Amino acid sequence: MSTSTGSHASGRITASQGIDTPSGHEPDEGGHFGPYGGRWVPEALVAALDELETAYEKARHDPEFLTELDRLHRDYTGRPSPLTDVPKLSRHAGGARILLKREDLNHTGSHKINNVLGQALLTKRMGKKRVIAETGAGQHGVATATACALMDLECVIYMGEVDTRRQALNVARMRLLGATVIPVKTGSRTLKDAINEALRDWVTNVDTTHYLLGTVAGPHPFPQMVRDFHRVIGLEARAQVRERTGRLPTAIAACVGGGSNAIGIFHAFLDDPGVRLVGFEPGGDGVETGRHGATLTEGSPGALHGAFSYLLQDEDGQTSESYSISAGLDYPGVGPEHALLKDVGRAEYQPVTDAEAMDAFALLCRTEGIIPAIESAHAVAGALRLGKELGPDAIILVNLSGRGDKDVDTAAKWFGMIGSDESAESADGTAIAEGAVTEPAGSFADAGSKTEGIQA
Amino acid sequence: MRSVAEVFARCRAEGRGALVGYLPAGYPTVDGSVELLTAMVEGGCDLVEVGIPYSDPVMDGPTIQAAAGRALAAGFRLRQVFDVVARVTAAGGNCVVMTYFNPVLKYGVERFAADLAAAGGLGVITPDLIPDEAGQWLAASDEHGLDRIFLVAPSSTEERIASTTAASSGFVYATSIMGVTGARDSVASAAGEIVARTRPHTSLPIGVGLGVRNADQAAEIAGFADGVIVGSAFVDAAERGGPDAVRALARDLAQGVARGARPA
């Protein structure tokens, strides 16, 4: 029996509960969720995936591992993350009650740490000394660099050159934490290509290296294992919402790039048929423009980065380039379990445009004093949409997966506080204060004006 | 010659290893790739691998990535691979296609197999498809008489070598080292080991690829393997001197595989 079982009895949810208690929605032996998932990889990686699967299966039933995971998440991550009522935001959502699951308050600023600490512990147990990872916005890279610093592991982060430019702050954070950051200059120079380069490194150095994949995509066992490390989000939130409101939420809103935060919060509610699960994909400039990352909405099934799932591709099966204002959602693939949830209708997926997300971003800043990650702002925008549809009796649980410190530069440009060729760090603060603006894409001062008449 | 098995059998009868050369279709253009592949055949490649350029080639190093990227930028379309195979076959070549699997999935596995067989292709090498996920391809390759060439790697367990070779036909592709494509100075030691580990599991010929770039390496590998596979070095030659350089490299490598033939 795991040591966490005792704490379950006292009603307190711990991180280890997500891995030592089967979810009841496991893939088959080959890692398939229906037709999706599996291992679409070079043979050279199969042995390492088998090793990882064996190590994970052993660890999830090992009291020592579970205790250490719980200790880290309590004392280092700061779990459980709180649930926050946001009544002033709710006024813009048709009066529906919005509750935020505050993964933004975790150490390193997002949900990514849940998975990273688990996989870093596994890396040590497998006797590997070197960790590689991909990153888009830099959140997973920062979390990975953090765990590697904590656990004395060598850390190499692959990041598309386009992303190292737009997320310079996170590049500096990773380097401060002791990681080597390699800007990837092939292909579209974004997250997709960072994953390609990480896979090439892994094929070459697999004996000594663990690939600490940051989302619920990739070959088996990653989609299942990463999901399990994030299940704590939903398990905590389910108990918190019931305690706070006396019932289950009407709907859950989460953003979906690869899909890790969404699957983490959805999973505890899969067997509650009355709870609507809604994933919000990056609609970019609008799906009709072709400039978006709405993989489940607009894509079709195929194999990419080790899994069979939905992806954005042309008629020859070449991967299409995705686009989103949010680097963390700018990915043409998606986790295989989401593909199955879409097909069977248990979850639904809708696009949210850059403009809608940034409007919700501004609104949450102004009404509640919370600066969300632009990724998470897609979920907030989705909740506003759902609230108007469901009405004032609804309770909408939002996974606020990350905080927006990293996005200040992008937001300041969007709202015209600085020019498009400036950075917030180097701009003249007096000019920002006095509101020098050149044709902003969105208005920060009028946040909420496009929703339902600001009442605050 | 109408099968991969016959190609290897003839080389064996001549007391030498088979030379297998790779270049991407559509590189630098569709017509240009036919010229380069034909030059490879004229220089002495027993089997040619016609690569399908793909947006996310995770098993390829910088040289082949760049060549495939150039083909895609020049507007290469998947269906053109059948034209390339038909033309190189007409020029006397024996062609297999090497492709990441998503383009095949999107085209339709059954339709791809039918069109490739009609073009005269002999089989498909699948660097990112393992037999575990290959249900549709096993059926379609049987139906259309195409060989399916799966890969074994130095990291493969005995169990995986057994199941992979059991699903293979034509020949088995052994990757000489852990890594991606690209010419290297030394490949033989790990290559010898994976070939020796694979041999007891199959009577199929074994070809060794990844990293081979010159006649001496080809000779050394032909001493223990049935075929020597060269890719990036051909791309380098094409970049350097077009069809003439490709033909010259093929001649040089062909002398290498003849020199190092393993005892029958």
Side-chain angles (χ1 to χ4, degrees):
Chain A
M1 271 284 122
S2 76
T3 50
S4 60
T5 306
S7 48
H8 299 176
S10 70
R12 184 184 159 91
I13 306 292
T14 60
S16 65
Q17 206 178 327
I19 65 169
D20 78 340
T21 317
S23 70
H25 298 271
E26 306 308 320
D28 72 12
E29 208 172 295
H32 300 99
F33 298 89
Y36 301 110
R39 286 180 174 172
W40 295 76
V41 292
E43 166 63 23
L45 293 178
V46 171
L49 294 169
D50 280 341
E51 179 191 18
L52 178 62
E53 185 180 357
T54 303
Y56 173 61
E57 287 303 324
K58 204 171 154 204
R60 66 190 293 196
H61 303 296
D62 179 345
E64 202 182 312
F65 182 87
L66 300 171
T67 303
E68 180 63 0
L69 187 68
D70 285 339
R71 184 189 70 78
L72 284 171
H73 277 312
R74 185 187 64 232
D75 299 344
Y76 192 70
T77 307
R79 300 211 73 90
S81 66
L83 186 74
T84 303
D85 255 292
V86 284
K88 291 203 289 170
L89 180 76
S90 296
R91 286 181 209 153
H92 299 271
R97 182 174 180 184
I98 296 180
L99 295 164
L100 303 182
K101 177 60 174 167
R102 300 295 303 279
E103 292 297 298
D104 61 316
L105 295 178
N106 294 337
H107 180 45
T108 74
S110 81
H111 72 292
K112 294 290 187 190
I113 193 82
N114 299 327
N115 164 50
V116 162
L117 288 176
Q119 284 199 51
L121 284 174
L122 279 180
T123 305
K124 297 211 79 152
R125 287 165 76 94
M126 291 187 290
K128 293 186 172 182
K129 308 269 189 244
R130 180 172 178 267
V131 164
I132 57 172
E134 82 295 343
T135 199
Q139 292 301 86
H140 176 58
V142 167
T144 302
T146 298
C148 288
L150 180 69
M151 298 188 202
D152 297 316
L153 295 163
E154 183 191 345
C155 182
V156 175
I157 304 293
Y158 289 95
M159 187 169 184
E161 194 189 30
V162 169
D163 294 333
T164 54
R165 291 226 173 91
R166 63 180 163 179
Q167 302 284 344
L169 191 64
N170 270 344
V171 176
R173 288 170 80 195
M174 288 183 267
R175 294 208 53 202
L176 287 171
L177 291 161
T180 302
V181 180
I182 301 181
V184 174
K185 300 176 183 181
T186 54
S188 59
R189 307 182 181 207
T190 59
L191 178 57
K192 165 179 94 73
D193 308 282
I195 295 175
N196 290 343
E197 212 50 40
L199 285 168
R200 290 183 188 115
D201 181 317
W202 205 30
V203 166
T204 308
N205 301 299
V206 68
D207 277 354
T208 59
T209 299
H210 175 59
Y211 182 9
L212 207 161
L213 189 69
T215 190
V216 289
H220 179 64
F222 285 109
Q224 176 192 9
M225 178 180 71
V226 175
R227 171 199 84 187
D228 288 349
F229 284 132
H230 284 303
R231 278 181 66 215
V232 64
I233 304 170
L235 292 168
E236 281 179 8
R238 194 172 187 280
Q240 288 167 324
V241 172
R242 292 181 73 177
E243 191 187 341
R244 182 82 52 91
T245 69
R247 61 186 174 109
L248 289 171
T250 317
I252 298 177
C255 63
V256 178
S260 65
N261 90 79
I263 210 82
I265 198 161
F266 285 175
H267 229 261
F269 301 91
L270 280 185
D271 297 324
D272 298 314
V275 179
R276 247 177 97 178
L277 307 175
V278 191
F280 293 94
E281 298 195 292
D285 290 342
V287 293
E288 69 286 354
T289 67
R291 278 174 52 81
H292 62 84
T295 308
L296 288 159
T297 308
E298 293 289 308
S300 57
L304 177 68
H305 293 150
F308 189 72
S309 185
Y310 279 72
L311 60 113
L312 297 174
Q313 57 185 328
D314 71 12
E315 50 187 282
D316 279 355
Q318 310 287 353
T319 312
S320 305
E321 287 186 15
S322 55
Y323 163 75
S324 170
I325 190 172
S326 147
L329 302 180
D330 191 351
Y331 180 57
V334 69
E337 194 171 7
H338 284 294
L340 179 64
L341 292 174
K342 173 191 161 76
D343 281 7
V344 301
R346 180 61 192 97
E348 60 197 287
Y349 299 86
Q350 303 175 9
V352 163
T353 63
D354 285 359
E356 290 173 290
M358 293 311 291
D359 200 36
F361 176 98
L363 196 59
L364 186 61
C365 290
R366 293 291 287 263
T367 58
E368 300 288 348
I370 296 169
I371 302 179
I374 295 176
E375 288 79 11
S376 316
H378 286 69
V380 175
L384 298 175
R385 190 189 290 171
L386 284 174
K388 287 170 206 160
E389 181 189 330
L390 296 170
D393 293 335
I395 295 173
I396 299 167
L397 172 63
V398 177
N399 195 2
L400 202 75
S401 54
R403 68 181 183 222
D405 306 42
K406 71 182 175 59
D407 294 317
V408 167
D409 204 57
T410 306
K413 278 176 195 154
W414 180 272
F415 296 114
M417 294 172 187
I418 57 172
S420 59
D421 56 347
E422 287 183 285
S423 81
E425 290 99 73
S426 59
D428 178 353
T430 306
I432 296 175
E434 291 174 352
V437 186
T438 46
E439 295 184 24
S443 169
F444 192 74
D446 295 335
S449 61
K450 284 183 233 155
T451 54
E452 269 199 355
I454 197 154
Q455 301 170 49
Chain B
M1 219 160 319
R2 294 275 31 102
S3 81
V4 172
E6 284 164 32
V7 172
F8 278 90
R10 187 194 61 183
C11 295
R12 191 84 191 267
E14 293 174 4
R16 62 185 181 88
L19 177 61
V20 184
Y22 164 96
L23 279 172
Y27 161 79
T29 61
V30 171
D31 289 344
S33 67
V34 172
E35 276 179 55
L36 291 170
L37 286 156
T38 303
M40 218 179 221
V41 175
E42 290 163 358
C45 279
D46 301 292
L47 194 64
V48 294
E49 291 181 19
V50 181
I52 294 183
Y54 176 54
S55 54
D56 296 274
V58 297
M59 276 294 282
D60 284 309
T63 305
I64 291 177
Q65 278 180 51
R70 206 168 143 189
L72 290 173
F76 175 80
R77 295 298 311 270
L78 180 59
R79 62 174 180 274
Q80 292 173 311
V81 77
F82 306 116
D83 178 44
V84 172
V85 167
R87 289 163 69 186
V88 175
T89 302
N94 301 299
C95 297
V96 294
V97 161
M98 175 141 182
T99 184
Y100 293 91
F101 214 64
N102 194 55
V104 179
L105 288 172
K106 185 68 181 173
Y107 192 82
V109 177
E110 159 65 28
R111 182 177 160 223
F112 184 89
D115 290 356
L116 180 60
L122 305 178
V124 184
I125 301 171
T126 51
D128 66 348
L129 180 71
I130 56 176
D132 318 48
E133 303 288 355
Q136 270 185 294
W137 168 233
L138 299 183
S141 53
D142 281 344
E143 169 74 24
H144 296 281
L146 294 171
D147 281 318
R148 41 182 186 252
I149 298 116
F150 292 109
L151 281 66
V152 294
S155 61
S156 299
T157 60
E158 292 300 309
E159 196 185 1
R160 296 238 13 123
I161 293 173
S163 60
T164 302
T165 53
S168 301
S169 63
F171 74 100
V172 176
Y173 190 129
T175 60
S176 60
I177 41 140
M178 292 301 288
V180 296
T181 57
R184 289 168 176 84
D185 288 333
S186 165
V187 291
S189 66
E193 198 177 316
I194 180 65
V195 171
R197 289 176 59 220
T198 305
R199 199 67 83 184
H201 293 283
T202 182
S203 58
L204 289 172
I206 301 171
V208 167
L210 254 53
V212 184
R213 66 172 187 183
N214 62 40
D216 287 345
Q217 285 174 323
E220 195 177 353
I221 287 168
F224 55 82
D226 306 293
V228 178
I229 305 164
V230 180
S232 298
F234 275 117
V235 174
D236 284 337
E239 285 289 319
R240 209 172 48 239
D244 289 343
V246 165
R247 196 179 297 107
L249 177 63
R251 279 203 187 107
D252 193 36
L253 292 165
Q255 281 166 11
V257 296
R259 186 150 40 96
R262 85 187 170 101

